[in-house]
Amino acid sequence: MPKGGRDDVRFGASWRDRSLKTVKLGSTALAGYGFMTGPVSADMLANTSAAINPGAMILVGAVGGMCAFAVTAAISLVRHRKQSALVTAALEKEKADLKFRVDRLEAMLNTDEQRVIVWTGNGAVPQIWGVLPEKSGVPRPPAQLLAFGSWLTAKCAGDLERHLDMLFRVGEAFTATLKTRAGTYVEALGRTTGGAVVLRLRDLTGERQMQAELAARNAKISGELHMLHSLLDAMPAPAWQRDSEGNLSWANAAYAEAVEVPDAESAVKDGVTFLDAAARTAMAVQRTEDGCFSARIPIVASGARRVFEVTDVNASVGGAGIAVDISELEQARKELGRAEDYHGRTLDQLAAAVAIFGSDRKLQFYNAAFRQLWDLDDAFLESKPEDGTVLDSLRASRKLPEQADYRVWRNKMLESYQSLEARENWWHLPDGRTLRVIANPHPQGGVTYIYENFTERLDLESKYNALTRVQGETLDNLSEAVAVFGSDGKLRLWNPAFGRIWQIEEDRLAELPHVNEVVAACTLSETEEEAWQQLARNVTGLLDNRTHKVSRLERHNGDVLDYATVPLPDGGTLVTFVDVTDSVNVERALLEKNDALQQADQIKNAFIQHVSYELRSPLTNIIGFAQLLSDPKFGELSEKQGEYAEYIQSSSSALLAIINDILDLATLDAGIMELDLGEVDVASTVSAAVEGLKDRIAEAQISLRMDVPENIGVIVADEKRLRQVLFNLIANAVRYSEENGVVDISCNRDEDSVTFVVQDHGYGIPAEVLKQVFNRFVGHDTGSRRQGAGLGLAIVKSFVELHGGSVDIQSAEGKGTTVTCVFPSQPELTDQVAAE
């Protein structure tokens, strides 16, 4: 049984003995107060209970309780003092033992090359033991030691603090190798012991130092490799890596997409190559001595042909490469080249001279106008001279403005390279030209010079000012009334005729009245009021309603005015009034005369048509009876009678032809002429027309020369009208040819037309008659064979134009006449013309 247990037993027995003595003492005390002492029996109590006072009983009980408590407290105090002395002696002994052990442990920690940091409570200052050599990079002062960032690298300090945080929060132990700023390595171990947190730092030396360095280097290289692979994997450009045997060992996602495989692992596993055979051959041939290859290669990737900038490096441990898609760059470069070429060509077309100097002040570009303006040698310009050199060359050629101090002026011009804004200068050249020179600096350096020739503009401005004055004088002296109203409706400009026509005083107009005031001043009748109200609406109307309007006004006094409103670009309105009273009167007279002439023409056409029809029937009888008289079957005629019968027949035939022509013209005038279109053999039609005039040609002793190709083919036309046209043309040529003369007939064909040419070498047609030869009943007497009625060429022109063709006549007196008729050969064209 333990020592304390035995003491407690003894203390209990003692505490019970002392209680019995206290009871006896209490009885004695009661006796002293007049109570019975000694053994008290029941009978005694029963006999004496009636004699005891209740207050005395309470007092006795209280005194007895106080005595019992005092005895018990004294006993407890003695007991605890004894026990405390024993415990204190045991603790002193244990303390001495623990101090010995702590001193021994501290001696052991201080002798070992390590630093131990112990945190024993929240917010308590940690205890630090041990030392490390200075070469380890671990500081000795505690404050500096606990500032991990001052002697560890940033990454290692962050890792250590993160480990300590986890150790404090969840008790997670750790072991880490840390790199100091001195380049050495320290091993850190974190543990928890009871309620304390312990961090031990140990210097790594020897092989462990080398292992730590190798591990750190390996971790760094692995991290860099991983980072590099991650970077390449995120790039859209295909990248790959080969081992020492040339096999694919790694590829990024873009590589897998380019070779059309699901992922990079499949591409590596299957060894799918990105470069084709031609590219690999070029790589083997063009690789430099250090194993590098770089070139632009067209490659089919993702099913499309693209241009890649391939860079590949080869070494003893393997190789790696990357291919950057520059298809868009190449396209952009081509577009840029085309844009530069286009801009160059555009600048060459400008009238203004342009010269561009780079940041080195050398000429980079010039257009044709620049070369033409200064008349500089092409070789000099192609050598890309400096800006100052160009100025010196122009000064030597006396092409620059004369300057009192050329050097100062030259330096001031070259200040444009340091300027931020464009500069403008005016050059008055010795040859009389005036140039506006704009020097516009580039943001990247350099200056663009623009030379605008303002000589003509200044001359034009001078001429314009003079012209304005002339126009002002002209306007003031016009007989027409002119007034200009502004966009606000007020009068801006007028001439004296305006005030004279509308009887408005000059002083009133000088006040620039509003158009409504002018209307009030000019209104004299209801008609004039309506006209002026319309003018006012045109002047003050909205933009959509501002249109050019022309109308006529008859005034109350019989005058007739033509007025017009013209919207001006500045929002104003020009109003003009022209007195056309005389012209209107003449026009009315002409209209009345024209109506009379039209009625007379209608009467004439009706008379000709009626007479032609009335003459045709008896003429037919005359021709028929003349032919019967000439026929021997009805009786012999004398020689003179036969001659007279022939005269009757020829005259009747000529008269019938005239009447037929008159009827044709009447039909054309009535608009009821219809063509019987069909395929017409051109050569046969010409021959038929010549055959009908054989007697006339023989009588006139005319030689006929025909140039009609046999393969000229057919055209779509009215054969009868075509033959009639040729008949009339040949008849006119025979009629106006000299005796024993020559008439040429030619015909040729092109893609869509056939041309007929009839030419005589006779008397020709005078110029005053040539203008009217296509009119009806127009002719001229030349020679003894003038027998026509003046209808032949009118018939020709009408029939040719009815076919959709054209007629042209050329003639000179004494040289003959040439008539050219062009007929369309395409059926659709002919049908269209006929329908019209």
Side-chain angles (χ1 to χ4, degrees), residues 39 64 143 149 195 203 294 336 373 598 614 616 649 666 686 816:
D203 183 21
S294 180
L336 178 61
L373 174 66
Q598 287 181 355
E614 292 297 330
R616 194 168 190 177
Q649 290 183 13
V686 175

Side-chain angles (χ1 to χ4, degrees), residues 715-717 752-754 800 803-806 822-827 829-830 833:
I715 64 173
V716 176
D752 56 358
S753 63
V754 176
V800 172
H803 279 81
S806 60
V822 180
F823 284 83
S825 61
Q826 298 294 332
L829 180 60
T830 306
V833 174

Side-chain angles (χ1 to χ4, degrees), residues 606-748:
F607 172 77
I608 291 174
Q609 184 176 5
H610 180 72
V611 170
S612 298
Y613 276 108
E614 292 297 330
L615 290 176
R616 194 168 190 177
S617 296
L619 186 59
T620 303
N621 294 331
I622 293 173
I623 294 173
F625 286 121
Q627 290 177 350
L628 290 175
L629 289 175
S630 301
D631 193 349
K633 294 187 298 182
F634 297 97
E636 294 290 339
L637 297 177
S638 64
E639 182 179 354
K640 204 66 174 176
Q641 291 174 338
E643 183 179 354
Y644 290 159
E646 290 180 359
Y647 286 156
I648 292 173
Q649 290 183 13
S650 61
S651 298
S652 300
S653 298
L655 182 58
L656 181 61
I658 293 173
I659 293 174
N660 289 334
D661 289 344
I662 293 174
L663 291 176
D664 289 339
L665 291 174
T667 304
L668 288 170
D669 291 338
I672 59 176
M673 173 67 73
E674 293 184 0
L675 298 177
D676 185 11
L677 299 177
E679 291 189 354
V680 179
D681 186 272
V682 176
S684 299
T685 304
V686 175
S687 300
V690 172
E691 185 67 24
L693 292 168
K694 185 177 295 185
D695 295 340
R696 295 188 190 182
I697 295 173
E699 181 182 356
Q701 298 180 0
I702 300 296
S703 298
L704 193 64
R705 295 186 299 194
M706 296 180 61
D707 182 14
V708 181
E710 295 180 358
N711 60 348
I712 194 169
V714 298
I715 64 173
V716 176
D718 188 332
E719 183 178 4
K720 177 182 176 183
R721 301 306 180 186
L722 178 59
R723 187 167 60 249
Q724 187 176 354
V725 168
L726 296 175
F727 182 90
N728 288 344
L729 292 178
I730 299 172
N732 278 347
V734 171
R735 183 178 298 116
Y736 292 105
S737 294
E738 297 179 353
E739 193 171 340
N740 298 322
V742 178
V743 174
D744 294 322
I745 303 174
S746 62
C747 183
N748 59 77

Side-chain angles (χ1 to χ4, degrees), residues 47-264:
N47 295 326
T48 58
S49 58
I52 296 175
N53 189 1
M57 290 295 291
I58 294 173
L59 179 61
V60 171
V63 172
M66 292 176 62
C67 292
F69 176 76
V71 172
T72 303
I75 295 171
S76 297
L77 178 61
V78 173
R79 177 176 175 270
H80 280 292
R81 280 184 177 180
K82 183 178 181 181
Q83 187 178 4
S84 298
L86 295 174
V87 172
T88 301
L91 289 176
E92 288 293 340
K93 182 179 180 182
E94 186 178 357
K95 176 182 177 182
D97 293 341
L98 290 176
K99 184 177 180 182
F100 173 75
R101 294 175 61 187
V102 168
D103 292 340
R104 185 173 59 184
L105 291 174
E106 287 183 355
M108 294 174 62
L109 289 175
N110 291 327
T111 56
D112 193 7
E113 293 185 353
Q114 61 180 354
R115 300 295 299 271
V116 178
I117 306 173
V118 179
W119 289 269
T120 58
N122 294 331
V125 178
Q127 297 179 347
I128 302 173
W129 293 281
V131 292
L132 287 175
E134 294 183 359
K135 64 179 183 178
S136 65
V138 181
R140 292 187 177 182
Q144 189 175 356
L145 176 65
L146 295 176
F148 302 125
S150 64
W151 56 277
L152 289 175
T153 61
K155 181 178 181 304
C156 291
D159 293 342
L160 179 58
E161 291 178 356
R162 186 171 59 256
H163 288 311
L164 288 175
D165 183 59
M166 294 298 295
L167 184 60
F168 272 100
R169 289 195 293 116
V170 298
E172 181 180 343
F174 67 89
T175 301
T177 301
L178 308 176
K179 184 178 181 180
T180 66
R181 294 184 178 274
T184 59
Y185 290 89
V186 177
E187 183 183 44
L189 293 89
R191 299 290 186 271
T192 58
T193 301
V197 175
V198 180
L199 172 63
R200 186 174 65 176
L201 302 175
R202 296 182 60 187
D203 183 21
L204 299 180
T205 58
E207 294 182 356
R208 296 187 65 188
Q209 174 77 10
M210 295 176 60
Q211 290 177 359
E213 293 176 355
L214 291 175
R217 187 180 303 173
N218 182 43
K220 180 181 178 181
I221 295 174
S222 299
E224 292 176 352
L225 181 61
H226 177 72
M227 179 182 63
L228 182 60
H229 282 179
S230 299
L231 175 63
L232 293 176
D233 201 40
M235 289 182 62
W240 60 90
Q241 188 174 354
R242 300 185 303 274
D243 56 17
S244 58
E245 297 180 359
N247 298 323
L248 186 67
S249 60
W250 178 86
N252 64 349
Y255 185 98
E257 181 180 358
V259 298
E260 299 182 6
V261 296
D263 49 30

